[in-house]
Each structure stands twice: as structure tokens, then as C-alpha cells.
Amino acid sequence: MDQDKPEIFFYGRVNGQNYNLVKYNYHSNEISAKANKLPGGGTSIEMRLYSTENGQELFFPQGTKLDVYDAGDLNYKYELAPENIGGYDDFAYLGNNIFCFTTSKAIFTYKRTNANLEFIDKKEHFSTHFGNGNYHLIPLKGNEILVGYFQEPQSFKFSISSTGKISNQQLVNIPIKSRWKKKTLYSPERDYVVNLLENRLYSTNSFNLEDSFEKPYYPSGISRNGNLILGSSNNPDDYSGNESTFERKIQLYNLSTGKVTTVESKGFPHLLFENYLGQIISISSGFYRQNLENSTPKPDIFVEVIQ
């Protein structure tokens, strides 16, 4: 989702065409761009939208490399290839042309000059290595970054300088429970991360558990100021085929008051976020389905503004 425009980037098919990157404008209700180069396929690492020294760009992971597209017209620019790591589990752009990658063993920093990545630094993290590639990076404010894994009870925090040097390695009591489609969301305004697999909120200052919540049962986003947890009661992993357990409603948990507000939606909400105008936006389906990738009974994903 673009943080400053009414635009969402998808990887999928439009009317049975080839899988491609698509930009959708939910104010004009139209597809505003399609990539001129088809990606080779989707990966478990999600695409990222960053404003860099080279303009606003969409980064789409492809194997051991990153495909770079101009975010304005989705024209393909080139690939970025981090050397000497063989592959990576997650990546992040930290500003000042510095990119960070993590493997199951270490984090790496690189300085980017157009299509080139120059290696800067490397630091190992967890001594126990798991083989299924779910290590995650979460950039924090203050030039810090968290590295976590869903089977590790703690995370590593590192400081990364403006030149990409890595220092101040520290184990902190924040478990990063991201796995596959679930995320760990970060609020720089409220200094917390929330684990969507556990519905628990941890301070990035004290590294203590600050809050846990029952509703929304299945959160998918937070508001821009970090005060609202956005989600629904629809279990994205429920494959029972029982549509009656799904609701056309969203749930908003207010951290300040501890209260939950339920709001009607036009479709079944899948992914929620607050846009640059303060509107709650839902990527929804008109027909019951467990996840966005499921095309049964037919493709019908749409975007709605929650009133």
C-alpha cells in the first residue's frame, strides 16, 4: 500500500491474464499501471515499496535477487544482486542507499549505487539454525533493526550506522512470530511491535510485554498513529467450507480505551490499513474465501472504504 496515495500494488491475474504486478487506484477505481516485464513468480518474501535516492520504487524478490520497478508506471529498471550470501530470507531498505538482508545465520548490509550493491558489513545472529527460511527483519527508528524467527523466544537488535556499519548486538525479549502470511507490525509513533500470531504487543523501548488482546481475533493492520489494531473474526486458515463462521464486519481495538468497535463492511475483509486521509481501507471479497490467493468461487477481490 502506498502511504501517500490511494494506490495498492498487487501480484496476481486480471481477467485470466498472466500473473503480473499491478497498481490499482481505489479512488478512481481503475488499474493505473501494469509491469512491462512479467516476474518469474511469487516468493514467500513480500514486495516492498520504498522512496529511495532513485525515486519511488517497487522491490519484488526473485530468487537470490531483487527486481526493481519504477513505482509510477511499473516499468522494469534492473535487478539488485547481493553478493556472497547465496540467498536471503528477508530484506529492508534503511535509507541513505543502505540495504539490509538476513539469512538464517547472519545479517548483511550493502550500499546501493543504481543497479549495484557494494558489500559493507556482516554480523551473525542466532547460533541455532532452522532450515525453512522464516527469519525476519523489522527496521526500527533510531537506526536500529530487529532480527527474529518464530521458533526463537527472543530477537536480536542491531544498530546500523548511516554508512551501513553494524554494531551493538543485543538479545531482547521480543519474539518475532511472523510466519508465511502473518506479520509482526511496528508502530514508530507508539514504539511497539504487535505479533499477529499471538495478539501480543511488545515495547521497543523496554522490550516488555505491554498488552494482549482477544479481539480482533485475526488482526491484519494497525492505524498510522498506532492507536488502533485492525482486523476481523474471520480465520484465514479455516478451510472447513463453513461460510456461516465468516462475517462482513471489521473489528477495531483501541489501545487507549481498551474497547473494541465493530463496523459493518460490504465484503469479507481480508487485509485492513489506514490510508493517508485517515480512512480505514479493506481489501475484501464479495464471496466467502479463506485467503486472497483463493479464486473460488470466482475472482472478486475489491477495495472498500470502511464507513
Side-chain angles (χ1 to χ4, degrees):
M1 294 78 68
D2 195 309
Q3 297 296 316
D4 303 303
K5 301 174 186 176
E7 295 174 337
I8 302 174
F9 293 83
F10 292 93
Y11 174 67
R13 294 192 297 175
V14 179
N15 299 326
Q17 300 174 17
N18 291 327
Y19 279 90
N20 198 4
L21 292 169
V22 172
K23 182 168 69 170
Y24 178 74
N25 187 307
Y26 57 84
H27 280 178
S28 63
N29 301 324
E30 63 182 4
I31 293 173
S32 53
K34 294 182 183 179
N36 65 341
K37 176 181 179 292
L38 296 179
T43 72
S44 60
I45 308 172
E46 66 180 27
M47 70 179 86
R48 306 276 165 77
L49 182 69
Y50 291 122
S51 292
T52 74
E53 285 74 4
N54 295 58
Q56 192 181 42
E57 298 174 312
L58 188 71
F59 296 85
F60 197 73
Q62 292 288 281
T64 61
K65 302 174 182 179
L66 275 176
D67 278 0
V68 185
Y69 292 82
D70 186 293
D73 53 17
L74 283 182
N75 281 338
Y76 176 78
K77 299 177 70 173
Y78 38 69
E79 65 181 19
L80 294 176
E83 297 179 352
N84 304 321
I85 61 175
Y88 56 92
D89 294 334
D90 203 0
F91 76 99
Y93 175 65
L94 306 181
N96 196 36
N97 275 326
I98 303 298
F99 282 77
C100 185
F101 296 82
T102 187
T103 67
S104 62
K105 298 179 180 180
I107 64 170
F108 302 76
T109 53
Y110 296 82
K111 178 81 170 184
R112 176 198 180 187
T113 303
N114 297 321
N116 298 312
L117 288 176
E118 178 188 356
F119 172 76
I120 298 174
D121 205 357
K122 168 189 174 182
K123 288 288 187 298
E124 293 187 354
H125 47 68
F126 297 101
S127 58
T128 302
H129 308 308
F130 299 92
N132 54 4
N134 285 284
Y135 292 82
H136 289 277
L137 294 175
I138 301 178
L140 308 177
K141 66 184 182 183
N143 299 318
E144 295 181 330
I145 195 163
L146 286 180
V147 184
Y149 183 79
F150 74 98
Q151 288 182 272
E152 295 283 0
Q154 296 175 300
S155 297
F156 273 103
K157 181 173 71 70
F158 297 90
S159 296
I160 300 181
S161 73
S162 60
T163 60
K165 288 293 184 180
I166 307 171
S167 62
N168 300 328
Q169 176 177 321
Q170 178 186 359
L171 266 177
V172 297
N173 292 318
I174 297 180
I176 303 301
K177 295 296 182 180
S178 295
R179 192 180 185 190
W180 297 304
K181 297 173 187 175
K182 290 292 185 180
K183 295 182 181 180
T184 300
L185 298 176
Y186 169 58
S187 172
E189 291 75 19
R190 298 281 294 253
D191 296 310
Y192 70 75
V193 293
V194 55
N195 284 320
L196 303 187
L197 278 174
E198 295 183 327
N199 291 4
R200 292 180 178 178
L201 186 150
Y202 295 85
S203 168
T204 52
N205 291 325
S206 66
F207 312 113
N208 294 325
L209 175 64
E210 284 197 341
D211 197 1
S212 61
F213 53 92
E214 182 180 7
K215 293 182 179 180
Y217 294 117
Y218 302 101
S220 61
I222 59 176
S223 61
R224 289 167 70 93
N225 65 6
N227 192 47
L228 295 178
I229 307 294
L230 319 174
S232 74
S233 62
N234 301 333
N235 182 359
D237 298 318
D238 179 7
Y239 292 93
S240 65
N242 185 3
E243 183 177 345
S244 65
T245 62
F246 281 64
E247 298 181 331
R248 297 174 187 267
K249 297 177 181 178
I250 70 167
Q251 297 167 342
L252 309 175
Y253 174 55
N254 188 306
L255 294 177
S256 297
T257 65
K259 295 181 179 180
V260 177
T261 302
T262 300
V263 182
E264 300 283 341
S265 57
K266 294 179 181 178
F268 294 106
H270 289 270
L271 186 81
L272 294 152
F273 64 96
E274 183 184 27
N275 71 2
Y276 65 105
L277 297 175
Q279 299 169 316
I280 303 298
I281 305 298
S282 174
I283 300 176
S284 304
S285 63
F287 293 99
Y288 154 75
R289 57 170 44 81
Q290 292 88 358
N291 55 62
L292 287 170
E293 288 87 353
N294 192 336
S295 60
T296 304
K298 69 175 185 177
D300 70 325
I301 300 303
F302 64 97
V303 181
E304 59 176 311
V305 178
I306 302 300
Q307 304 298 329

